[in-house]
């Protein structure tokens, strides 16, 4: 198991356009090692998605896994672990909705972001096969957040209002309304 270092906002790699991953290298030893290490890194950090630029590898690969329990993100649909290579998003419905987003590269902060809630994603899977997935709601937000990383964009660039950026602790205290235990 290899846990890679997750780079944080301010590191220039997070602001680069990542390059498409060469199709002929999908399935190679290098590819499989990178994907396995990204999976370990995401699990270790407790994330539901991780893009290669976040581990300082500027290529278009992301991994996503939304667990069943969804405790951290409320009552949300789950999605089994999968690898997305060179993904392209097509917005199927402009209607946007907002979620409070966090990011392993922006630790400790939460921000409210509105994004289209019905998208199609065309991508290559871990065998190099072309695939298409249609997602709605929270999962549409997750995909857009992760794939933004492949184009140098962070959720803080998409805040609905800069006042809707706050620390997790204050978010829990003042927004999520969790009762304080004494
Ligand atoms: Zn992120």
């Amino acid at each position: 198991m290899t846990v890679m270092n997750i780079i944080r906002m301010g590191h220039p790699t997070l602001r680069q356009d990542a390059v498409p991953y060469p199709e002929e290298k999908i399935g190679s030893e290098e590819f499989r090692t990178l994907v396995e290490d990204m999976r370990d890194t995401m699990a270790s950090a407790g994330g539901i998605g991780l893009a290669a630029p976040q581990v300082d590898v500027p290529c278009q690969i992301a991994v996503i896994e939304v667990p069943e329990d969804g405790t951290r993100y409320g009552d949300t649909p789950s999605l089994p672990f999968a690898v997305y290579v060179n993904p392209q998003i097509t917005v199927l419905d402009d209607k946007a909705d907002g979620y409070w987003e966090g990011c392993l590269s922006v630790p400790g902060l939460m921000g409210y972001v509105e994004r289209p809630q019905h998208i199609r994603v065309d991508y290559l899977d871990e065998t190099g096969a072309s695939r298409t997935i249609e997602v709605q709601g929270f999962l549409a937000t997750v995909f857009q957040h992760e794939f933004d990383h492949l184009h140098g964009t962070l959720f803080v660039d998409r805040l609905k209002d800069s006042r809707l950026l706050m620390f997790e602790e204050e978010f829990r205290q003042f927004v999520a309304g969790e009762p304080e235990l004494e």
Side-chain angles (χ1 to χ4, degrees):
M1 169 155 170
T2 306
V3 172
M4 303 170 91
N5 180 48
I6 298 175
I7 59 174
R8 305 197 304 175
M9 182 166 62
H11 192 298
T13 299
L14 290 172
R15 292 312 195 171
Q16 281 176 25
D17 235 338
V19 295
Y21 193 78
E23 238 177 287
E24 66 277 10
K25 282 171 74 181
I26 297 176
S28 67
E29 184 69 32
E30 177 195 289
F31 175 82
R32 283 186 286 117
T33 301
L34 173 62
V35 166
E36 209 172 291
D37 292 351
M38 284 175 65
R39 185 177 191 164
D40 291 344
T41 304
M42 176 173 71
S44 157
I48 57 174
L50 185 71
Q54 292 182 275
V55 290
D56 203 11
V57 177
C59 63
Q60 292 181 17
I61 298 176
V63 295
I64 295 174
E65 180 176 26
V66 182
E68 298 243 347
D69 65 14
T71 46
R72 190 175 151 195
Y73 297 91
D75 187 16
T76 56
S78 62
L79 193 73
F81 177 86
V83 184
Y84 303 87
V85 182
N86 303 339
Q88 300 285 340
I89 288 177
T90 305
V91 174
L92 298 176
D93 184 347
D94 274 340
K95 192 175 166 304
D97 204 356
Y99 288 94
W100 285 90
E101 298 186 19
C103 180
L104 298 176
S105 293
V106 191
L109 290 174
M110 303 281 292
Y112 187 79
V113 178
E114 288 186 348
R115 302 179 187 267
Q117 294 295 292
H118 189 189
I119 61 168
R120 188 184 79 221
V121 178
D122 296 288
Y123 65 99
L124 302 175
D125 70 10
E126 75 285 354
T127 69
S130 289
R131 286 182 176 271
T132 298
I133 183 174
E134 209 177 295
V135 282
Q136 303 196 45
F138 176 73
L139 291 178
T141 280
V142 171
F143 277 83
Q144 289 169 87
H145 175 116
E146 292 314 321
F147 301 162
D148 264 355
H149 279 299
L150 308 178
H151 302 283
T153 299
L154 300 173
F155 79 88
V156 293
D157 306 327
R158 297 197 185 277
L159 292 172
K160 182 178 165 54
D161 181 325
S162 59
R163 287 171 294 189
L164 298 176
L165 177 68
M166 57 186 74
F167 293 100
E168 278 171 4
E169 215 175 292
E170 280 70 14
F171 170 78
R172 282 196 297 272
Q173 191 178 349
F174 297 110
V175 180
E178 275 186 6
E180 291 251 38
L181 293 177
E182 288 184 331

